[in-house]
């Protein structure tokens, strides 16, 4: 009886509490539903997202949106301190302000002088150097019959070398639209680590008449070298996008101290004069891929169809180091599992190359007229393991990326030996191939220029690599300001040797 009474008391004492808990739970659920409904109605649905929020990797499409929607706002005067005239006193004042800033940071910031984000001043150049040239490309790019002397479509070449557009478009975008944390734009000379010169050297070279182009180069040179920041450092902290080896050629000797954004160093084609380019001051940037990216789904679907061992489509007759192409073509022609074909860079050639790369395990990437070519980056974004035969090639972002993990590198002397290259590729184990493919899938995003620029994309890696040059630039700038007139003005090491996989018979003696 006492047990029943105890149970009754415990049950009756439980009921009021359970009712209270149920009421609180129902109230909480109702409140959650109301809040969720309200927040959902205030959020854009996936279908209503602004298309501009998604990264655009097509140069033509991105440029179209940029010129029509962004350019009218960006064309308005920016409140910066770009100088429109000459004044030696401006140089002295700038040097004093830079000293004050750097001295303050040196004593207050333990991360100085290398820190993120690095600070870039973007010159507000007259429109004829920037927007007018972009409009010129936009209004004429459909004229695909416009070709160089060797048959390459001019506008396709401009697109492959359009790094100047992608970097500039990101730098001048409103901070609210930018996604990179490695770089920030500043509007005062004394706040800048680097100065970016937004002159479209490749577009002007290909789309202007020769004399008109040279005159524009001289004007751009005069405009930039009049700036106090240029005079202070003699251009050492200034960045010039000179990505096509023919561009800006007539005035390069006057900006040899500046940082050049290049496709390679090219010690074989005589594109650059001695002393103009070096890994110490300049930066190698990848070409813009000429094919569509093969994403994770594409890679999975294409895996069973990659039945070709080695693929190449392109011009077999090239100059300088590119003469290796003809030798490789003769050696590999008719070999089972190998496709070697002559091709062009037009729209039909793009589709043929893209299809061939997606059906192949390995893609042959020999030197062209210069040590590099866009084919390397086409192969990477296509999931085709690059086989690099270019003894003088320098890679983009090699301080960050390890190309041995994604490519097969062989010397020219080995590659042309009868049967050597195919036997070498066939000797790789399935595990080694899988590892290369896996790394390739991860590396592809490092070579996709986009708007907005993405973290770990090529724009981001550009500024990460640039940060590593900062201390050395300050060293040479300060040294140039105090070197006695008439003394040896260059600090250099004559024993530096270029990258080369070719066998040097003197190596045993030199070592």
């Amino acid at each position: 009886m006492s047990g029943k009474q105890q149970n009754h008391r415990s049950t009756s004492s439980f009921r009021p509490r359970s009712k209270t808990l149920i009421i609180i739970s129902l109230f909480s659920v109702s409140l959650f539903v109301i809040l969720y409904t309200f927040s959902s109605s205030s959020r854009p649905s996936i279908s209503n997202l602004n298309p501009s929020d998604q990264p655009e990797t097509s140069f033509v499409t991105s440029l179209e949106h940029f010129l029509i929607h962004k350019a009218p706002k960006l064309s308005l005067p920016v409140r910066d301190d770009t100088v429109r005239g000459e004044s030696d006193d401006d140089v002295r004042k700038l040097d004093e302000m830079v000293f004050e800033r750097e001295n303050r940071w040196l004593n207050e910031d333990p991360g100085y002088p290398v820190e993120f984000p690095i600070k870039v001043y973007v010159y507000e150049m007259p429109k004829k150097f920037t927007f007018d040239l972009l409009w010129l490309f936009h209004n004429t790019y459909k004229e695909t019959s416009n070709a160089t002397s060797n048959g390459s479509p001019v506008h396709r070449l401009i697109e492959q070398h359009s790094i100047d557009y992608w970097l500039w478009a990101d730098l001048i975008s409103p901070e609210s639209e930018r996604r990179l944390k490695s770089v920030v734009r500043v509007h005062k000379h004394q706040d800048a680590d680097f100065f970016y010169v937004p002159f479209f050297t490749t577009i002007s070279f290909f789309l202007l008449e020769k004399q008109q182009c040279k005159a524009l180069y001289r004007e751009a040179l005069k405009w930039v070298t009049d700036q106090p920041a240029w005079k202070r450092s003699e251009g050492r902290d200034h960045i010039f996008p000179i990505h096509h080896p023919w561009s800006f050629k007539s005035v390069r000797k006057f900006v040899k101290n500046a940082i050049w954004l290049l496709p390679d160093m090219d010690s074989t084609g005589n594109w650059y004069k001695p002393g103009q380019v070096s890994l110490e001051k300049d930066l190698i940037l990848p070409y813009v891929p000429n094919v569509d990216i093969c994403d994770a789904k594409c890679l999975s679907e294409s895996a069973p169809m990659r039945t070709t061992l080695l693929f190449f489509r392109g011009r077999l007759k090239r100059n300088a180091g590119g003469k290796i192409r003809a030798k490789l073509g003769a050696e590999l022609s008719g070999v089972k599992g190998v496709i070697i074909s002559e091709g062009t860079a037009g729209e039909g050639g793009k589709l043929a190359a893209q299809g061939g790369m997606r059906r192949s395990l390995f893609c042959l990437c020999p030197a062209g007229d210069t040590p590099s070519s866009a084919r390397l980056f086409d192969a990477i974004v296509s999931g085709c393991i690059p086989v690099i035969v270019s003894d003088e090639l320098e890679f983009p972002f090699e301080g960050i990326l390890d190309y041995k993990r994604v490519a097969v590198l062989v010397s020219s002397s080995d590659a042309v030996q009868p049967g050597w290259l195919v036997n070498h590729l066939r000797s790789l184990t399935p595990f080694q191939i899988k590892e290369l493919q896996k790394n390739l899938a991860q590396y592809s995003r490092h070579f996709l220029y986009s708007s907005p620029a993405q973290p770990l994309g090529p724009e981001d890696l550009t500024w990460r690599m640039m940060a590593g040059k900062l201390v050395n630039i300050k060293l040479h700038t300060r040294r140039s300001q105090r070197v006695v007139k008439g003394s040896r003005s260059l600090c250099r090491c004559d024993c530096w040797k270029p990258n080369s996989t070719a066998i040097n018979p003197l190596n045993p003696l030199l070592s």
Side-chain angles (χ1 to χ4, degrees), residues 263-296:
D264 53 48
M265 290 286 112
D266 184 33
S267 60
T268 60
N270 297 319
W271 301 109
Y272 309 110
K273 300 296 183 183
Q276 286 186 346
V277 297
S278 71
L279 287 176
E280 181 185 19
K281 76 175 185 70
D282 301 317
L283 198 61
I284 308 296
L285 265 61
Y287 290 71
V288 177
N290 193 31
V291 298
D292 300 327
I293 183 173
C294 188
D295 57 18

Side-chain angles (χ1 to χ4, degrees), residues 124-191:
E124 283 289 314
M125 298 186 76
K127 293 180 182 179
K128 60 183 173 182
F129 301 117
T130 56
F131 291 102
D132 289 354
L133 291 172
L134 291 178
W135 275 112
L136 177 62
F137 175 89
H138 175 271
N139 294 335
T140 60
Y141 78 90
K142 292 182 180 178
E143 299 173 9
T144 53
S145 59
N146 189 359
T148 64
S149 57
N150 64 11
S152 299
V154 162
H155 292 86
R156 178 69 68 188
L157 282 173
I158 292 172
E159 185 171 357
Q160 289 178 359
H161 295 278
S162 60
I163 57 102
D164 42 15
Y165 165 75
W166 296 105
L167 289 171
W168 184 60
D170 175 67
L171 285 171
I172 65 176
S173 292
E175 281 302 314
S176 59
E177 298 177 13
R178 298 184 66 251
R179 301 182 183 181
L180 301 189
K181 303 301 182 185
S182 56
V183 61
V184 66
R185 181 186 183 186
V186 295
H187 296 281
K188 291 185 179 297
H189 282 180
Q190 68 264 25
D191 293 336

Side-chain angles (χ1 to χ4, degrees), residues 287-296 298-299 306 354 357-358 374-384 386 440-441 443-449:
Y287 290 71
V288 177
N290 193 31
V291 298
D292 300 327
I293 183 173
C294 188
D295 57 18
C298 167
L299 288 169
R306 294 185 182 270
Q354 179 170 291
M357 287 183 171
R358 293 187 182 187
R375 183 170 290 97
L376 168 60
F377 310 104
D378 291 349
I380 290 173
V381 302
S382 297
C384 187
L440 209 55
Y443 267 43
S444 61
R445 65 171 171 166
H446 302 316
F447 306 101
L448 287 176
Y449 295 89

Side-chain angles (χ1 to χ4, degrees), residues 232-234 236 475-483:
R232 176 183 175 272
S233 70
E234 296 180 341
R236 289 178 175 85
L475 181 156
H476 284 286
T477 297
R478 289 166 181 164
R479 187 176 178 279
S480 69
Q481 292 172 333
R482 57 88 179 164
V483 164

Side-chain angles (χ1 to χ4, degrees), residues 12 27 31 85 121 148 156 164 189 195 206 214 224 232 246 268 286 288 311 344 353 395 457:
S12 14
F27 176 77
L31 181 62
Y121 183 98
T148 64
R156 178 69 68 188
D164 42 15
H189 282 180
F195 296 82
F206 280 113
K214 286 186 175 182
V224 173
R232 176 183 175 272
W246 296 342
T268 60
V288 177
F311 175 81
T344 61
F395 294 105

